[in-house]
Amino acid sequence: GAVVSQHPSWVICKSGTSVKIECRSLDFQATTMFWYRQFPKQSLMLMATSNEGSKATYEQGVEKDKFLINHASLTLSTLTVTSAHPEDSSFYICSARGTGSVQFFGPGTRLTVL
Amino acid sequence: QQQVKQSPQSLIVQKGGIPIINCAYENTAFDYFPWYQQFPGKGPALLIAIRPDVSEKKEGRFTISFNKSAKQFSLHIMDSQPGDSATYFCAATIYGNKLVFGAGTILRVKS
């Protein structure tokens, strides 16, 4: 159990376009979902926390107008990178938490902006 | 106070050896300490976790030792195998909220 999926697993887009990444909890209801960004050989950096039906809470330094997060249901959260630029290229990972303390991570989405 | 310090940065052991990864924290409000294993290009996978009222926890070949007074915890991998070669992250959280990650340890197990 406790499976989290992400789609797409990788995406290449042109500079200036928007990209949407989906995160789904497949076998449990996620009261809270988290979005992380990871650069090569670095640790995970939390971007934002979202609770179902509420506005996301963004970490300091993360532009909320650039990284739009929607958590419309207990099994789905989306991250939209708006007007993507090459510096937004990264590995984006979501995690989901049910009623306990454990966060389960998705497989990640590799975004490359040309 | 929100940091989790992890060491070493990298580690090489022979097959069958016991790599040990250490983490230290400051915030005594942390109540849950998970370890994650990450392979290149994949998301982190939960390995094992512990709460501060327990001094040791074993799951298969993985053991967490927890020293509450020293605010330190460590991961031991028994009988390590080449397939254990990965990056390991310790983390800490307060009731499952924001996870504070260590910097990660790159483990290589030589066959």
Side-chain angles (χ1 to χ4, degrees), chain A residues 32 34 36 38 41-44 46 49 59 91 93 97 99-108 110, chain B residues 31-32 36 38 41-46 49 51 89 93-99 101-104 106:
Chain A
T32 308
F34 304 83
Y36 295 83
Q38 187 177 34
K41 299 190 186 302
Q42 291 190 23
S43 191
L44 286 80
L46 179 66
T49 302
E59 294 298 300
F91 192 50
I93 314 172
R97 179 173 69 87
T99 54
S101 299
V102 183
Q103 285 188 32
F104 297 98
F105 284 81
R110 173 75 57 195
Chain B
D31 62 2
Y32 184 73
Y36 288 90
Q38 186 179 31
K42 305 293 184 184
L46 179 66
R51 295 197 180 275
F89 293 98
T93 181
I94 302 171
Y95 193 62
N97 291 314
K98 177 177 170 177
L99 268 174
F101 280 94
I106 300 172

Side-chain angles (χ1 to χ4, degrees), chain A residues 25-59:
Chain A
S25 56
L26 299 185
D27 51 3
F28 68 103
Q29 293 187 322
T31 53
T32 308
M33 286 185 166
F34 304 83
W35 286 95
Y36 295 83
R37 185 173 180 176
Q38 187 177 34
F39 291 104
K41 299 190 186 302
Q42 291 190 23
S43 191
L44 286 80
M45 182 190 80
L46 179 66
M47 299 174 66
T49 302
S50 74
N51 292 295
E52 185 259 344
S54 303
K55 287 187 179 181
T57 302
Y58 290 82
E59 294 298 300

Side-chain angles (χ1 to χ4, degrees), chain B residues 8 10 26 40 43 57 85-86 105 107:
Chain B
S10 63
E26 288 295 324
K57 184 175 181 181
S85 298
T105 297
L107 171 66

